[in-house]
Each structure stands twice: as C-alpha cells, then as structure tokens.
Coordinates of all heavy atoms in Angstrom, one line a residue:
M1 N -6.6 1.3 11.6 CA -6.4 0.8 10.3 C -5.5 -0.5 10.4 O -4.6 -0.5 11.2 CB -5.7 1.8 9.4 CG -5.4 1.3 8.0 SD -4.5 2.4 7.0 CE -5.8 3.5 6.5
A2 N -5.9 -1.5 9.7 CA -5.2 -2.7 9.7 C -5.3 -3.4 8.4 O -6.1 -3.0 7.5 CB -5.8 -3.7 10.8
H3 N -4.5 -4.4 8.1 CA -4.5 -5.1 6.9 C -4.7 -6.5 7.1 O -4.3 -7.1 8.2 CB -3.3 -4.8 6.0 CG -2.1 -5.3 6.5 ND1 -1.6 -6.6 6.4 CD2 -1.1 -4.7 7.3 CE1 -0.5 -6.7 7.0 NE2 -0.1 -5.6 7.5
S4 N -5.3 -7.2 6.2 CA -5.5 -8.7 6.4 C -5.8 -9.2 5.0 O -6.3 -8.5 4.1 CB -6.7 -8.9 7.3 OG -7.0 -10.3 7.4
N5 N -5.6 -10.5 4.9 CA -6.1 -11.1 3.6 C -7.5 -11.5 3.7 O -8.1 -11.5 4.8 CB -5.2 -12.4 3.2 CG -5.2 -13.4 4.3 OD1 -6.2 -13.6 5.0 ND2 -4.2 -14.2 4.4
E6 N -8.2 -11.8 2.7 CA -9.6 -12.0 2.6 C -10.1 -13.1 3.5 O -11.1 -13.0 4.2 CB -10.1 -12.2 1.2 CG -11.6 -12.2 1.1 CD -12.1 -12.3 -0.3 OE1 -11.3 -12.4 -1.2 OE2 -13.4 -12.2 -0.5
S7 N -9.4 -14.3 3.5 CA -9.8 -15.4 4.4 C -9.8 -15.0 5.8 O -10.7 -15.4 6.6 CB -9.0 -16.6 4.1 OG -7.6 -16.3 4.5
E8 N -8.8 -14.3 6.3 CA -8.8 -13.9 7.7 C -9.9 -12.8 8.0 O -10.5 -12.8 9.1 CB -7.4 -13.3 8.1 CG -6.4 -14.4 8.1 CD -5.0 -13.8 8.4 OE1 -4.9 -12.5 8.5 OE2 -4.0 -14.5 8.5
W9 N -10.1 -12.0 7.0 CA -11.2 -10.9 7.2 C -12.5 -11.6 7.4 O -13.3 -11.1 8.2 CB -11.2 -10.0 6.0 CG -12.3 -9.1 6.0 CD1 -13.5 -9.1 5.3 CD2 -12.5 -7.9 6.8 NE1 -14.3 -8.1 5.6 CE2 -13.7 -7.3 6.5 CE3 -11.6 -7.3 7.7 CZ2 -14.1 -6.1 7.1 CZ3 -12.1 -6.1 8.4 CH2 -13.3 -5.6 8.0
L10 N -12.8 -12.6 6.7 CA -14.1 -13.3 6.8 C -14.3 -14.0 8.1 O -15.5 -14.3 8.5 CB -14.3 -14.3 5.6 CG -14.4 -13.6 4.2 CD1 -14.4 -14.7 3.2 CD2 -15.5 -12.7 4.1
K11 N -13.2 -14.3 8.8 CA -13.3 -15.0 10.1 C -13.6 -14.0 11.2 O -14.0 -14.4 12.3 CB -12.0 -15.7 10.4 CG -11.7 -16.9 9.5 CD -10.4 -17.5 9.9 CE -9.9 -18.5 8.9 NZ -8.6 -19.0 9.2
I12 N -13.5 -12.7 11.0 CA -13.7 -11.7 12.1 C -15.2 -11.6 12.4 O -16.0 -11.3 11.5 CB -13.1 -10.3 11.7 CG1 -11.6 -10.4 11.4 CG2 -13.4 -9.3 12.7 CD1 -11.0 -9.2 10.9
P13 N -15.6 -11.8 13.6 CA -17.0 -11.6 13.9 C -17.3 -10.1 14.0 O -16.6 -9.3 14.5 CB -17.1 -12.2 15.3 CG -15.8 -12.1 15.9 CD -14.8 -12.2 14.8
H14 N -18.4 -9.8 13.3 CA -18.8 -8.4 13.2 C -20.1 -8.2 14.2 O -21.2 -8.4 13.8 CB -19.2 -8.0 11.8 CG -18.0 -8.2 10.9 ND1 -17.0 -7.3 10.9 CD2 -17.7 -9.1 10.0 CE1 -16.1 -7.7 10.0 NE2 -16.5 -8.8 9.4
K15 N -19.8 -7.8 15.4 CA -20.8 -7.6 16.4 C -21.3 -6.2 16.4 O -20.6 -5.3 16.0 CB -20.3 -8.0 17.8 CG -19.9 -9.5 17.9 CD -19.3 -9.8 19.2 CE -18.8 -11.2 19.3 NZ -18.1 -11.5 20.5
D16 N -22.5 -5.9 16.9 CA -23.0 -4.6 17.0 C -22.3 -3.7 18.0 O -22.2 -2.5 17.8 CB -24.5 -4.6 17.4 CG -25.3 -5.2 16.3 OD1 -24.9 -5.2 15.1 OD2 -26.4 -5.7 16.6
N17 N -21.7 -4.3 19.0 CA -21.0 -3.4 20.0 C -19.5 -3.1 19.7 O -18.9 -2.4 20.4 CB -21.1 -4.1 21.4 CG -20.4 -5.4 21.4 OD1 -20.0 -6.0 20.4 ND2 -20.3 -6.0 22.6
E18 N -19.0 -3.6 18.6 CA -17.7 -3.4 18.2 C -17.7 -2.2 17.2 O -18.7 -1.9 16.5 CB -17.0 -4.6 17.5 CG -16.8 -5.7 18.4 CD -16.1 -6.9 17.7 OE1 -15.8 -6.7 16.5 OE2 -16.0 -7.9 18.3
P19 N -16.5 -1.5 17.1 CA -16.5 -0.4 16.1 C -16.7 -1.0 14.7 O -16.4 -2.1 14.4 CB -15.0 0.1 16.2 CG -14.5 -0.4 17.5 CD -15.3 -1.6 17.9
S20 N -17.3 -0.2 13.9 CA -17.6 -0.7 12.5 C -16.3 -0.9 11.7 O -15.4 -0.1 11.9 CB -18.5 0.3 11.8 OG -17.9 1.5 11.7
S21 N -16.3 -1.9 10.9 CA -15.2 -2.3 10.1 C -15.6 -2.3 8.7 O -16.7 -2.7 8.3 CB -14.6 -3.6 10.5 OG -14.2 -3.6 11.8
T22 N -14.7 -1.9 7.8 CA -15.0 -1.9 6.4 C -13.9 -2.5 5.6 O -12.7 -2.2 5.9 CB -15.2 -0.4 5.9 OG1 -16.2 0.2 6.6 CG2 -15.6 -0.4 4.4
A23 N -14.2 -3.4 4.8 CA -13.1 -4.0 3.9 C -12.9 -3.2 2.7 O -13.9 -2.8 2.0 CB -13.6 -5.5 3.6
C24 N -11.7 -2.9 2.4 CA -11.3 -2.1 1.2 C -10.4 -3.0 0.4 O -9.3 -3.4 0.9 CB -10.7 -0.8 1.5 SG -11.8 0.3 2.5
T25 N -10.7 -3.3 -0.8 CA -9.7 -4.1 -1.6 C -8.8 -3.1 -2.3 O -9.2 -2.0 -2.7 CB -10.5 -4.9 -2.7 OG1 -11.3 -4.0 -3.5 CG2 -11.4 -5.9 -2.1
W26 N -7.5 -3.4 -2.3 CA -6.5 -2.5 -2.8 C -5.5 -3.4 -3.6 O -4.9 -4.3 -3.0 CB -5.8 -1.8 -1.6 CG -4.8 -0.8 -2.0 CD1 -3.5 -0.9 -2.2 CD2 -5.1 0.6 -2.3 NE1 -2.9 0.3 -2.5 CE2 -3.9 1.2 -2.6 CE3 -6.3 1.3 -2.3 CZ2 -3.9 2.6 -2.9 CZ3 -6.2 2.7 -2.6 CH2 -5.0 3.3 -2.9
P27 N -5.3 -3.1 -4.8 CA -4.4 -3.9 -5.6 C -3.0 -3.7 -5.1 O -2.6 -2.6 -4.7 CB -4.5 -3.4 -7.0 CG -5.1 -2.1 -6.9 CD -5.9 -2.1 -5.6
R28 N -2.2 -4.8 -5.1 CA -0.8 -4.7 -4.6 C 0.1 -5.4 -5.6 O -0.2 -6.5 -6.1 CB -0.8 -5.3 -3.2 CG 0.6 -5.1 -2.6 CD 0.6 -5.7 -1.3 NE 1.6 -6.8 -1.2 CZ 2.1 -7.3 -0.1 NH1 1.6 -6.9 1.0 NH2 3.0 -8.2 -0.2
C29 N 1.2 -4.7 -5.8 CA 2.2 -5.3 -6.7 C 3.0 -6.3 -5.8 O 3.6 -5.9 -4.7 CB 3.1 -4.2 -7.2 SG 4.4 -4.7 -8.3
L30 N 3.2 -7.5 -6.2 CA 3.9 -8.5 -5.4 C 5.4 -8.4 -5.6 O 6.1 -8.8 -4.7 CB 3.5 -9.9 -5.8 CG 2.0 -10.2 -5.5 CD1 1.6 -11.6 -6.0 CD2 1.7 -10.0 -4.0
L31 N 5.9 -7.8 -6.7 CA 7.3 -7.6 -6.9 C 7.6 -6.2 -6.2 O 6.9 -5.3 -6.3 CB 7.6 -7.6 -8.3 CG 7.4 -8.9 -9.1 CD1 7.6 -8.7 -10.6 CD2 8.3 -10.0 -8.5
P32 N 8.8 -6.1 -5.6 CA 9.1 -4.8 -5.0 C 9.7 -3.8 -6.0 O 10.8 -3.4 -5.9 CB 10.2 -5.2 -4.0 CG 10.8 -6.5 -4.5 CD 9.7 -7.2 -5.3
R33 N 8.9 -3.4 -7.0 CA 9.3 -2.5 -8.0 C 8.5 -1.2 -7.8 O 7.3 -1.2 -7.9 CB 9.1 -3.1 -9.4 CG 10.0 -4.3 -9.7 CD 9.8 -4.8 -11.1 NE 10.1 -3.8 -12.0 CZ 11.3 -3.7 -12.6 NH1 12.2 -4.6 -12.4 NH2 11.6 -2.7 -13.5
T34 N 9.2 -0.1 -7.7 CA 8.6 1.2 -7.5 C 7.8 1.6 -8.7 O 6.7 2.1 -8.6 CB 9.7 2.2 -7.2 OG1 10.5 1.8 -6.1 CG2 9.1 3.6 -6.9
D35 N 8.4 1.3 -9.9 CA 7.7 1.7 -11.2 C 6.3 1.0 -11.3 O 5.4 1.6 -11.8 CB 8.5 1.4 -12.4 CG 9.8 2.3 -12.4 OD1 9.8 3.3 -11.8 OD2 10.7 1.9 -13.1
E36 N 6.2 -0.3 -10.9 CA 5.0 -1.0 -10.9 C 3.9 -0.4 -10.0 O 2.8 -0.3 -10.3 CB 5.2 -2.5 -10.6 CG 6.0 -3.2 -11.6 CD 5.4 -3.3 -12.9 OE1 4.1 -3.5 -13.0 OE2 6.1 -3.2 -14.0
E37 N 4.4 0.0 -8.8 CA 3.5 0.6 -7.8 C 3.0 2.0 -8.4 O 1.8 2.3 -8.2 CB 4.2 0.9 -6.5 CG 4.6 -0.3 -5.7 CD 3.4 -0.9 -4.9 OE1 2.4 -0.1 -4.7 OE2 3.5 -2.0 -4.5
I38 N 3.8 2.7 -9.0 CA 3.4 4.0 -9.6 C 2.3 3.8 -10.6 O 1.4 4.5 -10.7 CB 4.6 4.8 -10.2 CG1 5.6 5.2 -9.1 CG2 4.2 6.0 -11.0 CD1 6.9 5.8 -9.6
R39 N 2.5 2.8 -11.5 CA 1.5 2.5 -12.5 C 0.1 2.1 -11.8 O -0.9 2.5 -12.3 CB 2.0 1.3 -13.4 CG 3.0 1.8 -14.4 CD 3.2 0.7 -15.4 NE 4.6 0.9 -15.9 CZ 5.5 0.0 -15.9 NH1 5.3 -1.2 -15.4 NH2 6.7 0.2 -16.3
I40 N 0.2 1.4 -10.8 CA -1.1 1.0 -10.1 C -1.7 2.2 -9.5 O -2.9 2.4 -9.7 CB -0.8 0.0 -8.9 CG1 -0.4 -1.4 -9.5 CG2 -2.0 -0.1 -8.0 CD1 0.1 -2.4 -8.5
Y41 N -1.0 3.1 -8.8 CA -1.5 4.3 -8.3 C -2.1 5.3 -9.3 O -3.1 5.9 -9.2 CB -0.5 5.0 -7.4 CG 0.0 4.2 -6.2 CD1 1.2 4.4 -5.7 CD2 -0.9 3.3 -5.6 CE1 1.7 3.6 -4.6 CE2 -0.4 2.5 -4.6 CZ 0.9 2.7 -4.1 OH 1.3 1.9 -3.0
D42 N -1.3 5.4 -10.4 CA -1.8 6.3 -11.5 C -3.1 5.8 -12.1 O -4.0 6.5 -12.4 CB -0.7 6.3 -12.6 CG -1.0 7.4 -13.6 OD1 -1.4 8.5 -13.3 OD2 -0.8 7.1 -14.8
K43 N -3.2 4.5 -12.3 CA -4.4 3.9 -12.9 C -5.6 4.1 -12.0 O -6.7 4.5 -12.4 CB -4.2 2.4 -13.2 CG -5.4 1.7 -13.8 CD -5.1 0.2 -14.0 CE -6.3 -0.5 -14.6 NZ -6.0 -1.9 -14.8
M44 N -5.4 3.9 -10.7 CA -6.4 4.1 -9.7 C -6.8 5.6 -9.6 O -8.0 5.9 -9.5 CB -6.0 3.6 -8.3 CG -5.9 2.1 -8.3 SD -5.3 1.5 -6.7 CE -6.8 1.9 -5.7
L45 N -5.9 6.4 -9.7 CA -6.1 7.9 -9.6 C -6.9 8.4 -10.8 O -7.9 9.1 -10.7 CB -4.8 8.7 -9.5 CG -4.9 10.1 -9.2 CD1 -5.6 10.4 -7.9 CD2 -3.5 10.8 -9.2
R46 N -6.6 7.9 -12.0 CA -7.3 8.3 -13.2 C -8.8 7.8 -13.2 O -9.6 8.4 -13.8 CB -6.6 7.8 -14.5 CG -5.4 8.6 -14.8 CD -4.8 8.2 -16.2 NE -3.8 7.1 -15.9 CZ -3.9 5.9 -16.5 NH1 -4.9 5.6 -17.3 NH2 -3.0 5.0 -16.2
A47 N -9.0 6.7 -12.5 CA -10.4 6.1 -12.5 C -11.2 6.7 -11.3 O -12.4 6.3 -11.2 CB -10.3 4.6 -12.4
S48 N -10.6 7.5 -10.5 CA -11.3 8.0 -9.3 C -11.9 9.4 -9.5 O -11.7 10.0 -10.6 CB -10.4 8.0 -8.1 OG -9.5 9.1 -8.2
T49 N -12.6 9.9 -8.5 CA -13.1 11.3 -8.6 C -12.0 12.3 -8.4 O -12.3 13.5 -8.7 CB -14.1 11.5 -7.5 OG1 -13.5 11.2 -6.2 CG2 -15.3 10.5 -7.7
L50 N -10.8 11.9 -8.1 CA -9.7 12.8 -7.9 C -8.9 13.0 -9.2 O -7.8 13.6 -9.2 CB -8.8 12.4 -6.8 CG -9.4 12.3 -5.4 CD1 -8.4 11.6 -4.5 CD2 -9.7 13.7 -4.9
A51 N -9.4 12.5 -10.3 CA -8.6 12.5 -11.6 C -8.3 13.9 -12.0 O -7.2 14.1 -12.6 CB -9.4 11.8 -12.7
E52 N -9.2 14.9 -11.8 CA -8.9 16.2 -12.2 C -8.2 17.1 -11.2 O -7.9 18.3 -11.4 CB -10.2 16.9 -12.6 CG -10.9 16.2 -13.8 CD -10.1 16.1 -15.1 OE1 -9.4 17.1 -15.4 OE2 -10.1 15.1 -15.7
S53 N -8.0 16.5 -10.0 CA -7.3 17.3 -8.9 C -5.9 17.5 -9.2 O -5.2 16.6 -9.7 CB -7.6 16.6 -7.6 OG -8.9 16.5 -7.3
P54 N -5.3 18.6 -8.8 CA -3.8 18.8 -9.0 C -3.0 17.8 -8.0 O -3.5 17.5 -6.9 CB -3.6 20.2 -8.6 CG -4.7 20.6 -7.8 CD -5.9 19.8 -8.2
C55 N -1.9 17.4 -8.5 CA -1.0 16.5 -7.8 C 0.4 17.0 -8.0 O 0.8 17.2 -9.1 CB -1.2 15.1 -8.3 SG -0.4 13.8 -7.3
A56 N 1.1 17.1 -6.9 CA 2.5 17.5 -6.9 C 3.3 16.5 -7.8 O 3.0 15.3 -7.9 CB 3.1 17.6 -5.6
P57 N 4.4 16.9 -8.5 CA 5.1 16.1 -9.5 C 5.6 14.7 -8.9 O 5.5 13.7 -9.6 CB 6.2 17.0 -9.9 CG 5.8 18.3 -9.6 CD 4.9 18.3 -8.5
Q58 N 6.1 14.7 -7.7 CA 6.7 13.4 -7.2 C 5.9 12.7 -6.2 O 6.4 11.8 -5.5 CB 8.1 13.7 -6.6 CG 9.1 14.2 -7.7 CD 9.4 13.1 -8.7 OE1 9.6 12.0 -8.3 NE2 9.5 13.5 -9.9
T59 N 4.6 13.1 -6.1 CA 3.7 12.5 -5.1 C 3.6 11.0 -5.2 O 3.8 10.2 -4.3 CB 2.3 13.1 -5.1 OG1 2.5 14.5 -4.9 CG2 1.4 12.5 -4.1
L60 N 3.3 10.5 -6.4 CA 3.1 9.1 -6.7 C 4.4 8.3 -6.5 O 4.4 7.2 -5.9 CB 2.5 8.8 -8.1 CG 1.1 9.3 -8.3 CD1 0.7 9.0 -9.7 CD2 0.2 8.8 -7.2
R61 N 5.5 8.9 -6.9 CA 6.8 8.2 -6.7 C 7.1 8.1 -5.2 O 7.6 7.0 -4.7 CB 8.0 9.0 -7.4 CG 9.3 8.3 -7.1 CD 10.4 8.7 -8.1 NE 10.2 8.2 -9.4 CZ 10.4 7.0 -9.8 NH1 10.8 6.1 -8.9 NH2 10.2 6.6 -11.0
T62 N 6.9 9.2 -4.4 CA 7.2 9.1 -3.0 C 6.3 8.1 -2.3 O 6.7 7.3 -1.5 CB 6.9 10.5 -2.4 OG1 7.7 11.5 -3.1 CG2 7.2 10.5 -0.9
L63 N 5.0 8.1 -2.7 CA 4.1 7.1 -2.1 C 4.5 5.7 -2.5 O 4.5 4.8 -1.6 CB 2.7 7.3 -2.6 CG 1.6 6.4 -2.2 CD1 1.4 6.4 -0.7 CD2 0.3 6.7 -2.9
A64 N 4.9 5.4 -3.7 CA 5.3 4.1 -4.2 C 6.6 3.7 -3.4 O 6.7 2.5 -3.0 CB 5.5 4.1 -5.7
E65 N 7.6 4.6 -3.3 CA 8.8 4.2 -2.6 C 8.6 3.9 -1.1 O 9.1 3.0 -0.6 CB 9.8 5.4 -2.7 CG 10.5 5.5 -4.1 CD 11.4 6.6 -4.2 OE1 11.6 7.4 -3.3 OE2 12.1 6.7 -5.3
F66 N 7.7 4.7 -0.5 CA 7.4 4.4 0.9 C 6.7 3.0 1.0 O 7.1 2.3 1.9 CB 6.4 5.5 1.4 CG 6.0 5.3 2.8 CD1 6.8 5.6 3.9 CD2 4.7 4.7 3.1 CE1 6.4 5.3 5.2 CE2 4.3 4.5 4.4 CZ 5.2 4.8 5.4
T67 N 5.8 2.7 0.1 CA 5.1 1.5 0.2 C 6.1 0.3 0.0 O 6.0 -0.7 0.7 CB 4.0 1.4 -0.9 OG1 3.1 2.5 -0.7 CG2 3.2 0.1 -0.8
V68 N 6.9 0.4 -1.0 CA 7.9 -0.7 -1.3 C 8.9 -0.8 -0.1 O 9.2 -1.9 0.3 CB 8.6 -0.5 -2.6 CG1 9.7 -1.5 -2.8 CG2 7.6 -0.6 -3.8
L69 N 9.4 0.3 0.4 CA 10.3 0.3 1.5 C 9.7 -0.4 2.7 O 10.4 -1.0 3.5 CB 10.8 1.7 1.8 CG 11.8 2.3 0.9 CD1 12.0 3.7 1.2 CD2 13.1 1.5 1.0
S70 N 8.4 -0.2 2.9 CA 7.7 -0.8 4.1 C 7.7 -2.4 4.0 O 7.5 -3.0 5.0 CB 6.3 -0.3 4.3 OG 5.5 -0.8 3.3
R71 N 7.9 -2.9 2.8 CA 7.9 -4.4 2.6 C 9.3 -5.0 2.6 O 9.4 -6.2 2.5 CB 7.1 -4.7 1.3 CG 5.6 -4.5 1.4 CD 4.9 -4.9 0.2 NE 5.3 -4.0 -0.9 CZ 4.6 -3.7 -1.9 NH1 3.4 -4.3 -2.1 NH2 4.9 -2.8 -2.8
L72 N 10.3 -4.2 2.5 CA 11.7 -4.7 2.4 C 12.3 -4.9 3.7 O 12.0 -4.1 4.7 CB 12.5 -3.7 1.5 CG 12.2 -3.5 0.1 CD1 13.1 -2.5 -0.6 CD2 12.2 -4.9 -0.7
T73 N 13.2 -5.9 3.8 CA 14.0 -6.0 5.0 C 15.3 -5.3 4.9 O 15.8 -5.2 3.7 CB 14.3 -7.5 5.3 OG1 14.9 -8.1 4.2 CG2 13.0 -8.3 5.6
V74 N 15.8 -4.8 5.9 CA 17.1 -4.0 5.9 C 18.2 -5.0 5.6 O 18.4 -5.9 6.4 CB 17.3 -3.2 7.2 CG1 18.6 -2.4 7.1 CG2 16.1 -2.3 7.4
P75 N 19.0 -4.8 4.6 CA 20.1 -5.7 4.3 C 21.3 -5.3 5.3 O 21.4 -4.2 5.8 CB 20.5 -5.4 2.9 CG 20.0 -4.0 2.6 CD 18.8 -3.8 3.5
E76 N 22.2 -6.3 5.5 CA 23.3 -6.1 6.4 C 24.4 -5.4 5.8 O 25.1 -4.6 6.4 CB 23.8 -7.5 6.9 CG 22.8 -8.2 7.7 CD 23.3 -9.6 8.1 OE1 24.6 -9.9 7.9 OE2 22.6 -10.4 8.7
N77 N 24.6 -5.5 4.4 CA 25.8 -5.0 3.8 C 25.6 -3.7 3.0 O 26.5 -3.3 2.3 CB 26.5 -6.0 3.0 CG 25.5 -6.6 1.9 OD1 24.3 -6.3 1.9 ND2 26.0 -7.5 1.1
S78 N 24.3 -3.2 2.9 CA 24.1 -2.0 2.1 C 22.9 -1.3 2.7 O 22.3 -1.7 3.7 CB 23.8 -2.3 0.7 OG 22.7 -3.1 0.6
S79 N 22.5 -0.2 2.1 CA 21.3 0.6 2.6 C 20.0 0.0 2.0 O 20.0 -0.6 0.9 CB 21.4 2.1 2.3 OG 21.3 2.3 0.9
V80 N 18.9 0.2 2.7 CA 17.6 -0.3 2.2 C 17.2 0.5 0.9 O 16.6 0.0 0.1 CB 16.6 -0.2 3.3 CG1 16.2 1.2 3.6 CG2 15.4 -1.0 2.9
Y81 N 17.7 1.8 0.8 CA 17.4 2.5 -0.4 C 18.1 2.0 -1.6 O 17.5 2.0 -2.7 CB 17.7 4.0 -0.2 CG 17.1 4.9 -1.2 CD1 15.7 5.1 -1.4 CD2 17.9 5.4 -2.2 CE1 15.2 5.9 -2.4 CE2 17.4 6.2 -3.2 CZ 16.1 6.4 -3.3 OH 15.5 7.2 -4.3
S82 N 19.3 1.5 -1.4 CA 20.0 0.9 -2.6 C 19.4 -0.4 -3.0 O 19.3 -0.7 -4.2 CB 21.5 0.7 -2.3 OG 21.7 -0.2 -1.2
K83 N 18.8 -1.1 -2.0 CA 18.1 -2.3 -2.3 C 16.8 -2.0 -3.1 O 16.5 -2.7 -4.0 CB 17.7 -3.1 -1.0 CG 17.1 -4.4 -1.2 CD 16.9 -5.1 0.2 CE 16.3 -6.5 0.0 NZ 16.2 -7.1 1.3
L84 N 16.2 -0.9 -2.7 CA 15.0 -0.5 -3.4 C 15.3 -0.1 -4.8 O 14.6 -0.6 -5.8 CB 14.4 0.8 -2.7 CG 13.3 1.5 -3.4 CD1 12.0 0.9 -3.2 CD2 13.2 3.0 -3.0
R85 N 16.4 0.6 -5.1 CA 16.8 0.9 -6.4 C 17.2 -0.3 -7.2 O 16.9 -0.4 -8.4 CB 17.9 2.0 -6.4 CG 17.4 3.3 -5.8 CD 18.5 4.3 -5.8 NE 18.9 4.6 -7.2 CZ 20.0 5.1 -7.6 NH1 21.0 5.4 -6.6 NH2 20.3 5.4 -8.8
A86 N 17.8 -1.3 -6.6 CA 18.3 -2.5 -7.3 C 17.1 -3.3 -7.8 O 17.0 -3.8 -8.9 CB 19.2 -3.3 -6.4
Y87 N 16.1 -3.4 -6.9 CA 14.9 -4.2 -7.2 C 14.1 -3.5 -8.4 O 13.4 -4.1 -9.1 CB 13.9 -4.4 -6.0 CG 14.3 -5.5 -5.1 CD1 14.3 -5.4 -3.8 CD2 14.6 -6.7 -5.7 CE1 14.6 -6.4 -3.0 CE2 15.0 -7.8 -4.9 CZ 15.0 -7.7 -3.5 OH 15.3 -8.7 -2.7
N88 N 14.2 -2.2 -8.4 CA 13.5 -1.4 -9.5 C 14.3 -1.5 -10.8 O 13.8 -1.0 -11.8 CB 13.3 0.0 -9.0 CG 12.3 0.7 -9.8 OD1 11.2 0.1 -10.1 ND2 12.5 2.0 -10.1
G89 N 15.4 -2.1 -10.9 CA 16.2 -2.3 -12.1 C 17.2 -1.2 -12.3 O 17.8 -1.1 -13.4
E90 N 17.4 -0.3 -11.4 CA 18.4 0.7 -11.5 C 19.8 0.2 -11.1 O 19.9 -0.7 -10.3 CB 18.0 1.9 -10.7 CG 16.7 2.5 -11.0 CD 16.2 3.6 -10.0 OE1 17.1 4.2 -9.4 OE2 15.0 3.7 -9.8
T91 N 20.8 0.8 -11.6 CA 22.2 0.4 -11.3 C 22.8 1.4 -10.4 O 22.5 2.6 -10.4 CB 23.0 0.2 -12.5 OG1 23.0 1.4 -13.3 CG2 22.5 -1.0 -13.3

C-alpha cells in the first residue's frame, strides 16, 4: 500500500509484469482536526455497504485520531497528543 497524488500516479508505468495497482480516491481533511476526520468517515460509512453493520462506539474517533497523528510532527515542548487536542479546538 502506498499513497500518491494524482499527477504522480499517472506517471507510473503500468506494465503487465508488475503487480497490479489500483487507484483509490479518498477524501482527506487538510486541517488537522479530529472532528472533521470523523465527519468524513461517518459520511463515507453511511454511503457504503457497511452502513448497517455494527461499529464499536469509539472506532471512528480512534481512526480519526490515528490519521491526524500520523500527519503531525512531534513538538519539542509538549506531547503530540496535546497538539492533536489543541488543533481540534480543545483546551
């Protein structure tokens, strides 16, 4: 699994002897806000075939926090989790 922007994806040669590749578009929140990520995942989940499947109460929050944390740099004077909460508008 890898990620790329669309212009780089189109430059990749797709030969028959290479493993098959599939482009998947995935909306991404450009601001590091956990609540925005949760809204994106909730909207995608409701529109998918998994809409009626059970989901644990904090699954989307955990996924959103993990995703946002993967994009943040570790600050020198505090924890990355406090930076996550600050970007989300929490005090």
Side-chain angles (χ1 to χ4, degrees):
M1 177 182 283
H3 64 84
S4 175
N5 60 29
E6 187 175 4
S7 62
E8 290 177 358
W9 172 257
L10 296 175
K11 292 178 187 176
I12 298 173
H14 300 284
K15 299 177 184 175
D16 292 336
N17 60 354
E18 291 183 6
S20 62
S21 302
T22 304
C24 300
T25 56
W26 188 265
R28 185 178 120 164
C29 180
L30 297 178
L31 297 173
R33 295 183 61 96
T34 306
D35 293 340
E36 296 294 324
E37 290 280 341
I38 292 171
R39 284 191 208 123
I40 291 171
Y41 299 150
D42 187 47
K43 182 179 178 181
M44 291 178 67
L45 188 61
R46 282 187 274 122
S48 75
T49 58
L50 298 172
E52 299 300 319
S53 299
C55 187
Q58 294 296 318
T59 302
L60 295 182
R61 176 162 294 283
T62 303
L63 177 63
E65 286 179 355
F66 176 80
T67 305
V68 172
L69 283 170
S70 71
R71 289 183 290 207
L72 295 179
T73 57
V74 179
E76 294 179 10
N77 57 355
S78 64
S79 72
V80 71
Y81 191 71
S82 63
K83 187 175 182 179
L84 170 82
R85 292 182 66 203
Y87 277 136
N88 200 38
E90 301 171 28
T91 57

